[in-house]
Amino acid sequence: MNSGSDSEVKYRLLLVEDDAVIAREIKLHLEKWGYEVRCAEDLGNVLSEFAAYSPHLVLMDIGLPFFNGYYWCSQIRQVSQVPIIFVSSAGDHMNIVMAVNMGGDDFVVKPFEPEVLSAKVLAILRRTYAFRGQTNVMEWGGLILNLADASLLVEGQKLDLTKNEFRILQLLFENAGKTVSREAIMKRLWDNDCFVDDNTLTVNMTRLRKKLEVSGAGKLIRTKKGVGYIIGD
């Protein structure tokens, strides 16, 4: 069976469903259509799974442990406009209205015919990705770096970053677990004729660390004396 996706894009779908039987049936059906489907495992930290997987579309149940689907929809909407389809047995008028108000793109009521779900998935993917879209977020340790608006999400709170602070964090996120030299950071901060010297880098790093400390992420960046900086082990 051919995938409904246009061109050769292998669309990634994140399924947030706490019923293992239903999750498996949905996963198998959509995989037959050529989609890559991941079932969220940590339902207490769906946002981190979203950021790590970077899906093109999310299928979201409403009745979930820890926090409901509306909560996770609102969390995702803080960092991404990726399409979200609610899949729930709570298909009354109020829940459908709530789903739309929280940022959902469509609603499929359980029980449903698998072909109905795949048709809705295909329609939204075609409508959303006339070109190859990206979710534009990076994740480390539960922190979400939004590449679209240069912000960092710390425990649900949005932290606005300056251009240099964002570029520093982006480079460190790209190399999580590896030490990044001061020279490499200064090279990233080079912007046309505006060169950032060693002292300016120190000032920027100090301000960034203070901002992170206030937000509760003060231990994110560690110094490797004489070498550079690192996030992660």
Side-chain angles (χ1 to χ4, degrees), residues 53-91:
Y53 187 47
S54 190
H56 295 93
L57 182 144
V58 177
L59 296 166
M60 180 78 69
D61 192 10
I62 294 176
L64 298 168
F66 306 109
F67 302 98
N68 64 29
Y70 297 135
Y71 172 82
W72 291 121
C73 180
S74 67
Q75 290 290 296
I76 291 171
R77 280 291 169 261
Q78 290 192 51
V79 298
S80 174
Q81 291 302 310
V82 67
I84 298 174
I85 299 178
F86 280 93
V87 182
S88 175
S89 57

Side-chain angles (χ1 to χ4, degrees), residues 6-215:
D6 298 324
S7 73
E8 297 179 357
V9 178
K10 181 78 170 181
Y11 288 110
R12 297 181 302 278
L13 313 182
L14 178 65
L15 175 58
V16 186
E17 167 65 65
D18 64 332
D19 187 312
V21 175
I22 294 176
R24 183 174 182 275
E25 290 177 352
I26 293 176
K27 185 175 188 293
L28 290 175
H29 174 74
L30 292 174
E31 284 177 342
K32 289 178 182 178
W33 283 88
Y35 301 115
E36 180 182 313
V37 184
R38 175 182 293 187
C39 296
E41 295 180 358
D42 185 359
L43 297 179
N45 203 359
V46 173
L47 188 59
S48 289
E49 293 218 14
F50 168 83
Y53 187 47
S54 190
H56 295 93
L57 182 144
V58 177
L59 296 166
M60 180 78 69
D61 192 10
I62 294 176
L64 298 168
F66 306 109
F67 302 98
N68 64 29
Y70 297 135
Y71 172 82
W72 291 121
C73 180
S74 67
Q75 290 290 296
I76 291 171
R77 280 291 169 261
Q78 290 192 51
V79 298
S80 174
Q81 291 302 310
V82 67
I84 298 174
I85 299 178
F86 280 93
V87 182
S88 175
S89 57
D92 57 275
H93 177 74
M94 284 302 297
N95 273 296
I96 293 175
V97 170
M98 177 73 77
V100 173
N101 288 340
M102 294 302 290
D105 296 272
D106 208 336
F107 199 109
V108 178
V109 181
K110 299 175 184 175
F112 55 85
E113 291 295 327
E115 290 74 17
V116 172
L117 179 62
S118 53
K120 286 180 176 286
V121 167
L122 173 57
I124 289 183
L125 287 174
R126 280 182 170 167
R127 186 166 69 241
T128 306
Y129 302 103
F131 57 92
R132 295 193 177 194
Q134 298 295 326
T135 53
N136 289 325
V137 292
M138 302 177 74
E139 184 271 348
W140 187 88
L143 302 177
I144 311 293
L145 183 65
N146 190 338
L147 308 185
D149 67 359
S151 68
L152 185 71
L153 201 65
V154 182
E155 296 183 355
Q157 298 301 312
K158 185 176 180 180
L159 184 66
D160 291 320
L161 305 168
T162 66
K163 180 171 66 175
N164 283 346
E165 290 168 351
F166 168 72
R167 287 177 174 175
I168 291 170
L169 278 182
Q170 184 180 19
L171 183 58
L172 292 174
F173 269 68
E174 289 170 355
N175 295 276
K178 301 176 184 176
T179 301
V180 180
S181 69
R182 291 178 64 88
E183 292 75 16
I185 296 175
M186 285 188 283
K187 186 176 181 181
R188 174 63 65 93
L189 297 183
W190 182 290
D191 185 15
N192 297 325
D193 60 347
C194 180
F195 179 69
V196 180
D197 62 23
D198 193 75
N199 183 60
T200 306
L201 173 59
T202 300
V203 172
N204 276 273
M205 186 62 75
T206 300
R207 288 175 178 170
L208 174 57
R209 282 178 145 165
K210 285 182 179 178
K211 187 176 287 189
L212 291 172
E213 187 172 355
V214 171
S215 69

